[in-house]
Amino acid sequence: MTTAREAADLFQQYREELGFVNEAQCREKDLYVERRDGDVVGAALVNHCVRKPQTTLYDIAVAKTHRRVGIAELLIETVVQESPHEKIIAKCPVDLDANAFYESTGWNKQNVEDGKNRALNVWKYPIDTNE
């Protein structure tokens, strides 16, 4: 099984929260994964934008059996290290518990905007380029 397929399968476990994420999307965008014992237990799907000076985090998921042990933070750290930009932007439906993750890991809430189906919190993660 390919990494893209494994990541898509992980994202699909959280389809209600994330929407539909397929294998093609995992191949087209920048995909970051964390493995434990050979299995993909965390995945982040991003785009290091060319037209905007930002990296956009589209989706992030961690298997329920591997939550609260720092896997999502590791994924974000890797994205930060590889980003050519000074910020990462993420949008999260206002009614999801995932907003607590963004708030507790150093993201700054920028505003709330209308999404297709529900209101979205817009989060910004500043990247310190002076390290």
Side-chain angles (χ1 to χ4, degrees):
M1 186 179 295
T2 68
T3 300
R5 175 77 261 148
E6 291 174 282
D9 289 346
L10 176 62
F11 288 131
Q12 286 310 300
Q13 293 176 30
Y14 306 101
R15 185 175 179 177
E16 186 173 308
E17 295 94 345
L18 299 173
F20 184 73
V21 180
N22 63 32
E23 185 176 355
Q25 291 167 297
C26 291
R27 290 183 191 285
E28 292 167 3
K29 294 183 175 70
D30 296 298
L31 177 65
Y32 298 86
V33 299
E34 281 294 320
R35 291 182 179 273
R36 297 295 182 271
D37 299 321
D39 296 323
V40 171
V41 297
L45 196 57
V46 307
N47 181 32
H48 300 295
C49 299
V50 175
R51 295 183 185 166
K52 296 179 185 178
Q54 70 185 39
T55 292
T56 303
L57 173 65
Y58 288 109
D59 296 291
I60 188 167
V62 175
K64 286 184 181 175
T65 56
H66 289 80
R67 289 192 175 168
R68 302 201 183 276
V69 296
I71 290 174
E73 290 91 338
L74 285 172
L75 288 165
I76 297 300
E77 285 176 25
T78 303
V79 171
V80 165
Q81 290 172 359
E82 294 191 13
S83 177
H85 304 296
E86 294 182 9
K87 66 181 175 181
I88 301 172
I89 298 294
K91 296 179 182 180
C92 184
V94 297
D95 60 332
L96 291 187
D97 293 338
N99 286 290
F101 163 78
Y102 292 109
E103 187 171 22
S104 69
T105 57
W107 295 71
N108 300 310
K109 187 169 145 185
Q110 301 297 292
N111 60 5
V112 178
E113 65 180 42
D114 293 332
K116 275 192 218 176
N117 300 314
R118 51 192 174 177
L120 302 169
N121 285 329
V122 179
W123 294 94
K124 176 183 168 188
Y125 190 90
I127 298 174
D128 183 1
T129 57
N130 296 321
E131 292 184 359

